[in-house]
Amino acid sequence: MKLPPAVLGLVVLLVLVLSPNGAEARPAPAGGHPQKKLSSYSFFVFGDDFADNGNLPLTDPVTQMSRQWAYPYGSSYVDADGNPRPNTPSGRFSNYQIQSDFIATILGLEEAPPAHALTAEKTCDPSGMTFAYAGAGVLDGSSTHKVPTLAKQVETFSKMVKDGTITQQQLSRSIALVAISGNDYHGSSSTIGLSNPNDINAYIGRVTKEIAANVEQLQKLGVTKVVVNNLHPVGCTPLQTRTNNYTACDVFGNLGASVHNSNLKQTMEGKKNVHVADLYTAFSNIVDTAPGKGQELSKQFKRKLSPCCESFDSNGYCGQQGDSSELLYSVCDKSNRFFYWDDMHPTHAGWEAVMKQLEKPLREFVDQD
């Protein structure tokens, strides 16, 4: 698909729109967590901050890329018995659960499988493993942070398959999630300086073809079914709507995501046992609607474009503290009324509303022979 010359505004998307600080995931909090309930499926998770649950480590002091391990992240945590355990950060970029947790539930698990970085060497949980890293991209040089690309994550998975750590029995009933939310289009050395629409289109093509190549590699290694996210409407994130006081989505940002999704759809057509999870539509049904309009799922959110956790400084971040430990952000009282948790990532309620829309086609995909 070629971009018309009029869409030069997409350059702004590629260089500025997509944040490298992605969704978080979480390992079990200190104090123990009940074992996941038995499931016939093993779940393997790849991608970036929309799926990381503990691979990106805690640092001292806490920074923008380790804030998922500190308050207010995890502030709506509920244990397996239904008891609130507030202020339990778990490595996820949200106030509680993220997409991979909801998919895990569909597969009969309690939560997303453990993070690779938090798992003992030469072991793999029966539920599977999460290889995703916040800030990761698809192409080399796509991230300003030294984290494994999608191909490197798949390579680690491959080594574990070949040495028997991940068993053939696990692979025989395995589901993989490839969650890429757009780090290749933010501040990448590969995108800086791109101005020609044909060059931009070619770059998007490289990203989507590399995603497809990694999906094929996972299948060759024995994964039975693969779920691939398309891009969410990045122009609706608080990172983009803050400049207009959270009143409207950025048209060019969403156009760029649509171009990526069109390319991704073409590369995935005809592939067996691959399902594209339509995050773009599921998000848009909620956040890109007029006040009082849209589906019932949309109406539950009083704030669709503004974040629950907002930094005082547009260049700051949720969870940031000053030199004297003063809070440089504010947190809403009712996170279930906000779709977005911080400048890029949905709240637990936001992910829940998204996954309610995606659950039926996902279940049908998982259950089909």
Side-chain angles (χ1 to χ4, degrees):
M1 175 180 178
K2 290 188 176 180
L3 287 171
V7 192
L8 285 173
L10 182 57
V11 179
V12 178
L13 164 81
L14 292 172
V15 180
L16 297 176
V17 164
L18 298 175
S19 168
N21 303 319
E24 74 186 23
R26 58 164 205 255
H33 194 289
Q35 288 188 341
K36 301 172 183 65
K37 56 188 177 184
L38 294 177
S39 169
S40 60
Y41 293 102
S42 287
F43 186 28
F44 299 100
V45 183
F46 305 86
D48 57 25
D49 33 87
F50 265 31
D52 184 2
N53 64 349
N55 282 313
L56 199 67
L58 173 65
T59 60
D60 186 14
V62 171
T63 67
Q64 187 171 8
M65 288 300 287
S66 64
R67 69 190 190 276
Q68 69 276 17
W69 290 106
Y71 178 84
Y73 289 84
S75 55
S76 300
Y77 188 89
V78 177
D79 68 21
D81 295 322
N83 301 313
R85 292 178 59 183
N87 309 333
T88 308
S90 60
R92 291 163 169 75
F93 285 81
S94 186
N95 57 317
Y96 184 20
Q97 292 183 317
I98 57 174
Q99 182 194 16
S100 52
D101 293 304
F102 287 98
I103 294 178
T105 300
I106 292 172
L107 298 178
L109 305 168
E110 291 285 355
E111 61 182 359
H116 173 261
L118 301 175
T119 304
E121 190 174 355
K122 299 293 184 181
T123 63
C124 180
D125 192 88
S127 67
M129 185 170 287
T130 296
F131 297 88
Y133 267 83
V138 176
L139 303 178
D140 287 330
S142 59
S143 175
T144 56
H145 306 278
K146 294 181 179 180
V147 294
T149 61
L150 176 60
K152 289 294 185 182
Q153 295 170 29
V154 173
E155 182 180 322
T156 300
F157 173 79
S158 175
K159 291 177 181 177
M160 296 181 70
V161 169
K162 292 176 180 178
D163 70 13
T165 301
I166 295 173
T167 67
Q168 291 302 311
Q169 182 178 358
Q170 284 184 291
L171 290 173
S172 68
R173 292 277 286 175
S174 58
I175 307 291
L177 170 67
V178 177
I180 295 296
S181 64
N183 291 320
D184 291 87
Y185 304 128
H186 175 92
S188 164
S189 60
S190 301
T191 61
I192 294 173
L194 287 180
S195 59
N196 185 292
N198 290 329
D199 292 340
I200 296 169
N201 186 70
Y203 180 78
I204 294 174
R206 286 177 57 206
V207 172
T208 53
K209 287 178 181 177
E210 180 67 8
I211 292 173
N214 280 281
V215 169
E216 291 176 3
Q217 179 65 8
L218 288 172
Q219 292 181 311
K220 289 179 181 178
L221 289 167
V223 174
T224 52
K225 295 186 178 183
V226 185
V227 178
V228 184
N229 284 349
N230 68 8
L231 268 189
H232 57 111
V234 293
C236 295
T237 61
L239 183 68
Q240 295 303 303
T241 61
R242 182 167 182 153
T243 56
N244 59 43
N245 200 28
Y246 308 116
T247 57
C249 298
D250 177 70
V251 175
F252 286 110
N254 288 351
L255 175 60
S258 296
V259 173
H260 170 98
N261 292 342
S262 178
N263 276 266
L264 183 68
K265 182 178 180 181
Q266 290 179 24
T267 63
M268 293 299 165
E269 281 182 345
K271 293 187 183 300
K272 293 183 179 180
N273 296 317
V274 176
H275 172 73
V276 176
D278 191 2
L279 263 62
Y280 189 94
T281 298
F283 275 55
S284 296
N285 285 341
I286 298 168
V287 300
D288 200 9
T289 58
K293 303 294 183 180
Q295 300 182 359
E296 288 301 316
L297 284 172
S298 174
K299 295 177 183 178
Q300 80 179 71
F301 297 102
K302 182 179 180 181
R303 303 285 185 179
K304 300 176 183 179
L305 300 178
S306 56
C308 172
C309 183
E310 181 180 16
S311 61
F312 298 149
D313 183 348
S314 60
N315 294 318
Y317 56 89
C318 171
Q320 187 175 16
Q321 296 187 15
D323 294 337
S324 301
S325 299
E326 71 275 19
L327 304 185
L328 302 181
Y329 62 92
S330 62
V331 183
C332 69
D333 291 329
K334 297 180 179 180
S335 61
N336 63 330
R337 303 291 286 170
F338 286 70
F339 180 80
Y340 285 106
W341 168 247
D342 58 14
D343 60 359
M344 280 294 291
H345 313 110
T347 57
H348 173 88
W351 274 122
E352 185 174 36
V354 166
M355 292 309 297
K356 280 183 178 178
Q357 299 174 73
L358 301 179
E359 180 175 357
K360 182 179 178 181
L362 184 57
R363 283 190 182 277
E364 291 174 348
F365 169 69
V366 169
D367 292 340
Q368 72 185 12
D369 293 330

